[in-house]
Amino acid sequence: MTPQSYPTPYYIVYEEKLRRNLSLISSVAREAGADIIMAFKANALWRTFGIMREYGVKFTASSLNELRLGNEELECLGHSYCPAYTAQTIGEYLKGSSHITFNSLSQFDRFRDTVADFNASGSHRVSPGLRVNPQCSVIETDIYNPALPGSRFGVTADCIGDALPAGIEGLHFHSLCESSSYDLEKVLGAFEEQFGKYLPGVKWINMGGGHLMTRADYDTAHLISLLQEFRSRYPWLKVILEPGSAFTWRTGDLITSVVDIVENQGVKTAIIDASFACHMPDTLEMPYKPAITESIPDGEFVYRLGGNSCLSGDFMGDWTFDHPLEPGEKLTLEDMNHYTTVKTNMFNGISHPSILLRRDDGAIVALREYTYEDYKNRMD
């Protein structure tokens, strides 16, 4: 099988590019002396986890489904964070976790005895932590900014008071989104200023996600230096980072075909057999316009791309090409292996694209193909 012969639409993941990212992240973790674990919220394509296990990848989970997936497919305990645990879920979280972060003082107060009882049971020990909010915003898009005024995420220092509640062993902050090491430096300064007095009493610090260290212009040397300096100030602390996008950044594409060209009031729209709303919802939420391999800057022929759902806003544009687009022509929407397959939906009953893996040796493996039964069973 070749990608050219496979029916569109489909996602294709490249093993070589995935290994490149894994190697870089492993190197940063080793040099910085930090644990860098993978957040499933960006990518949970478990059929590629066999590759990740070779690099010792561990994970963070924010739901019982993510936790179970990591337990089964990465074969390790997870770092769990959920905005609100319940009496029905806390036990399952503890069974699958090595660390558990509470979002509020009231949540920890409610379940501190449950944690203590579990740890006394002898199964394994879970280290409890508290999410804090440094109130330092470096994210321009509000929907992804956990440091906005009134945020429901984390506890501010004024609410904690002079000392952390007895039993808290770690602190967790998350204030980045596809950010740089210099953004982390700014947030880390705010964190130390507000929460530094609590650090002698804890064992670990989780600096959350958003560290896009596999982006070409990311200054990994600065990140390593920043983390090393932090560890030199607090040598007793285990430092944890949990990026999402970094693990699968630029490791996969979405291949789609043009199915029709429509023109209205001078706007030409190439309707494709994929959907921004169904298959790339992050492009509309951010929003951002994905690169298209076949497009060229300042081309003579200008097209908007329209998805194949009936949502009026299922479109993006404009792209330019060096030739008129025709039905049947394939387009490559780049970098579609993070915040894509985890966010797809079946609005209009539109099927998910298939998922392919291109092995290092060039072989193409179909990881998943979707059918009517997937849609019907989801609606059951």
Side-chain angles (χ1 to χ4, degrees), residues 102-113:
F102 292 90
N103 186 61
S104 66
L105 294 171
S106 57
Q107 275 269 295
F108 178 66
D109 186 60
R110 180 181 179 187
F111 294 115
R112 74 166 77 214
D113 291 343

PDB file of all heavy atoms in Angstrom, residues 102-113:
ATOM      1  N   PHE A 102      -4.552  18.011  43.190  1.00  0.00           N
ATOM      2  CA  PHE A 102      -5.877  18.526  43.502  1.00  0.00           C
ATOM      3  C   PHE A 102      -5.966  19.982  43.060  1.00  0.00           C
ATOM      4  O   PHE A 102      -5.028  20.756  43.220  1.00  0.00           O
ATOM      5  CB  PHE A 102      -6.166  18.387  44.996  1.00  0.00           C
ATOM      6  CG  PHE A 102      -6.310  16.957  45.436  1.00  0.00           C
ATOM      7  CD1 PHE A 102      -5.206  16.231  45.857  1.00  0.00           C
ATOM      8  CD2 PHE A 102      -7.547  16.333  45.389  1.00  0.00           C
ATOM      9  CE1 PHE A 102      -5.333  14.903  46.250  1.00  0.00           C
ATOM     10  CE2 PHE A 102      -7.682  14.997  45.769  1.00  0.00           C
ATOM     11  CZ  PHE A 102      -6.570  14.285  46.198  1.00  0.00           C
ATOM     12  N   ASN A 103      -7.118  20.349  42.518  1.00  0.00           N
ATOM     13  CA  ASN A 103      -7.309  21.672  41.931  1.00  0.00           C
ATOM     14  C   ASN A 103      -7.641  22.739  42.969  1.00  0.00           C
ATOM     15  O   ASN A 103      -7.455  23.933  42.710  1.00  0.00           O
ATOM     16  CB  ASN A 103      -8.434  21.619  40.892  1.00  0.00           C
ATOM     17  CG  ASN A 103      -8.598  22.921  40.143  1.00  0.00           C
ATOM     18  OD1 ASN A 103      -7.686  23.378  39.475  1.00  0.00           O
ATOM     19  ND2 ASN A 103      -9.768  23.536  40.261  1.00  0.00           N
ATOM     20  N   SER A 104      -8.111  22.327  44.137  1.00  0.00           N
ATOM     21  CA  SER A 104      -8.554  23.288  45.136  1.00  0.00           C
ATOM     22  C   SER A 104      -8.244  22.768  46.528  1.00  0.00           C
ATOM     23  O   SER A 104      -8.038  21.562  46.744  1.00  0.00           O
ATOM     24  CB  SER A 104     -10.053  23.553  45.012  1.00  0.00           C
ATOM     25  OG  SER A 104     -10.790  22.385  45.336  1.00  0.00           O
ATOM     26  N   LEU A 105      -8.233  23.673  47.489  1.00  0.00           N
ATOM     27  CA  LEU A 105      -8.038  23.277  48.884  1.00  0.00           C
ATOM     28  C   LEU A 105      -9.201  22.427  49.370  1.00  0.00           C
ATOM     29  O   LEU A 105      -9.009  21.481  50.143  1.00  0.00           O
ATOM     30  CB  LEU A 105      -7.896  24.529  49.754  1.00  0.00           C
ATOM     31  CG  LEU A 105      -6.640  25.371  49.500  1.00  0.00           C
ATOM     32  CD1 LEU A 105      -6.732  26.693  50.253  1.00  0.00           C
ATOM     33  CD2 LEU A 105      -5.382  24.615  49.906  1.00  0.00           C
ATOM     34  N   SER A 106     -10.412  22.745  48.913  1.00  0.00           N
ATOM     35  CA  SER A 106     -11.575  21.980  49.354  1.00  0.00           C
ATOM     36  C   SER A 106     -11.539  20.546  48.831  1.00  0.00           C
ATOM     37  O   SER A 106     -11.934  19.612  49.536  1.00  0.00           O
ATOM     38  CB  SER A 106     -12.868  22.673  48.913  1.00  0.00           C
ATOM     39  OG  SER A 106     -12.898  22.841  47.507  1.00  0.00           O
ATOM     40  N   GLN A 107     -11.045  20.373  47.591  1.00  0.00           N
ATOM     41  CA  GLN A 107     -10.925  19.017  47.049  1.00  0.00           C
ATOM     42  C   GLN A 107      -9.923  18.191  47.864  1.00  0.00           C
ATOM     43  O   GLN A 107     -10.188  17.038  48.201  1.00  0.00           O
ATOM     44  CB  GLN A 107     -10.482  19.076  45.592  1.00  0.00           C
ATOM     45  CG  GLN A 107     -11.616  19.269  44.610  1.00  0.00           C
ATOM     46  CD  GLN A 107     -12.195  17.968  44.097  1.00  0.00           C
ATOM     47  OE1 GLN A 107     -11.520  17.197  43.410  1.00  0.00           O
ATOM     48  NE2 GLN A 107     -13.450  17.705  44.441  1.00  0.00           N
ATOM     49  N   PHE A 108      -8.786  18.784  48.187  1.00  0.00           N
ATOM     50  CA  PHE A 108      -7.803  18.045  48.991  1.00  0.00           C
ATOM     51  C   PHE A 108      -8.354  17.746  50.372  1.00  0.00           C
ATOM     52  O   PHE A 108      -8.182  16.634  50.901  1.00  0.00           O
ATOM     53  CB  PHE A 108      -6.493  18.812  49.093  1.00  0.00           C
ATOM     54  CG  PHE A 108      -5.469  18.100  49.947  1.00  0.00           C
ATOM     55  CD1 PHE A 108      -4.938  16.888  49.530  1.00  0.00           C
ATOM     56  CD2 PHE A 108      -5.087  18.624  51.179  1.00  0.00           C
ATOM     57  CE1 PHE A 108      -4.020  16.211  50.337  1.00  0.00           C
ATOM     58  CE2 PHE A 108      -4.171  17.955  51.977  1.00  0.00           C
ATOM     59  CZ  PHE A 108      -3.632  16.744  51.554  1.00  0.00           C
ATOM     60  N   ASP A 109      -9.025  18.721  50.980  1.00  0.00           N
ATOM     61  CA  ASP A 109      -9.585  18.506  52.312  1.00  0.00           C
ATOM     62  C   ASP A 109     -10.608  17.374  52.294  1.00  0.00           C
ATOM     63  O   ASP A 109     -10.683  16.569  53.227  1.00  0.00           O
ATOM     64  CB  ASP A 109     -10.232  19.799  52.807  1.00  0.00           C
ATOM     65  CG  ASP A 109     -10.708  19.688  54.240  1.00  0.00           C
ATOM     66  OD1 ASP A 109      -9.875  19.427  55.122  1.00  0.00           O
ATOM     67  OD2 ASP A 109     -11.932  19.855  54.479  1.00  0.00           O
ATOM     68  N   ARG A 110     -11.375  17.294  51.191  1.00  0.00           N
ATOM     69  CA  ARG A 110     -12.400  16.252  51.096  1.00  0.00           C
ATOM     70  C   ARG A 110     -11.783  14.873  50.980  1.00  0.00           C
ATOM     71  O   ARG A 110     -12.322  13.895  51.541  1.00  0.00           O
ATOM     72  CB  ARG A 110     -13.304  16.526  49.890  1.00  0.00           C
ATOM     73  CG  ARG A 110     -14.401  15.499  49.695  1.00  0.00           C
ATOM     74  CD  ARG A 110     -15.247  15.800  48.473  1.00  0.00           C
ATOM     75  NE  ARG A 110     -16.288  14.804  48.287  1.00  0.00           N
ATOM     76  CZ  ARG A 110     -17.095  14.730  47.228  1.00  0.00           C
ATOM     77  NH1 ARG A 110     -16.990  15.642  46.261  1.00  0.00           N
ATOM     78  NH2 ARG A 110     -18.009  13.782  47.140  1.00  0.00           N
ATOM     79  N   PHE A 111     -10.644  14.763  50.268  1.00  0.00           N
ATOM     80  CA  PHE A 111     -10.110  13.434  49.941  1.00  0.00           C
ATOM     81  C   PHE A 111      -8.768  13.117  50.592  1.00  0.00           C
ATOM     82  O   PHE A 111      -8.166  12.098  50.292  1.00  0.00           O
ATOM     83  CB  PHE A 111      -9.990  13.292  48.419  1.00  0.00           C
ATOM     84  CG  PHE A 111     -11.315  13.293  47.703  1.00  0.00           C
ATOM     85  CD1 PHE A 111     -11.654  14.303  46.833  1.00  0.00           C
ATOM     86  CD2 PHE A 111     -12.230  12.274  47.927  1.00  0.00           C
ATOM     87  CE1 PHE A 111     -12.868  14.314  46.170  1.00  0.00           C
ATOM     88  CE2 PHE A 111     -13.462  12.268  47.275  1.00  0.00           C
ATOM     89  CZ  PHE A 111     -13.779  13.288  46.396  1.00  0.00           C
ATOM     90  N   ARG A 112      -8.305  13.970  51.510  1.00  0.00           N
ATOM     91  CA  ARG A 112      -6.989  13.698  52.108  1.00  0.00           C
ATOM     92  C   ARG A 112      -6.982  12.369  52.854  1.00  0.00           C
ATOM     93  O   ARG A 112      -5.985  11.619  52.793  1.00  0.00           O
ATOM     94  CB  ARG A 112      -6.565  14.847  53.023  1.00  0.00           C
ATOM     95  CG  ARG A 112      -7.302  14.911  54.335  1.00  0.00           C
ATOM     96  CD  ARG A 112      -6.621  15.843  55.321  1.00  0.00           C
ATOM     97  NE  ARG A 112      -6.889  17.226  55.022  1.00  0.00           N
ATOM     98  CZ  ARG A 112      -6.030  18.205  55.225  1.00  0.00           C
ATOM     99  NH1 ARG A 112      -4.833  17.938  55.688  1.00  0.00           N
ATOM    100  NH2 ARG A 112      -6.375  19.447  54.982  1.00  0.00           N
ATOM    101  N   ASP A 113      -8.058  12.061  53.566  1.00  0.00           N
ATOM    102  CA  ASP A 113      -8.118  10.794  54.296  1.00  0.00           C
ATOM    103  C   ASP A 113      -8.188   9.609  53.338  1.00  0.00           C
ATOM    104  O   ASP A 113      -7.637   8.538  53.627  1.00  0.00           O
ATOM    105  CB  ASP A 113      -9.317  10.779  55.239  1.00  0.00           C
ATOM    106  CG  ASP A 113      -9.165  11.738  56.402  1.00  0.00           C
ATOM    107  OD1 ASP A 113      -8.021  12.171  56.677  1.00  0.00           O
ATOM    108  OD2 ASP A 113     -10.196  12.085  57.034  1.00  0.00           O
TER     109      ASP A 113
END
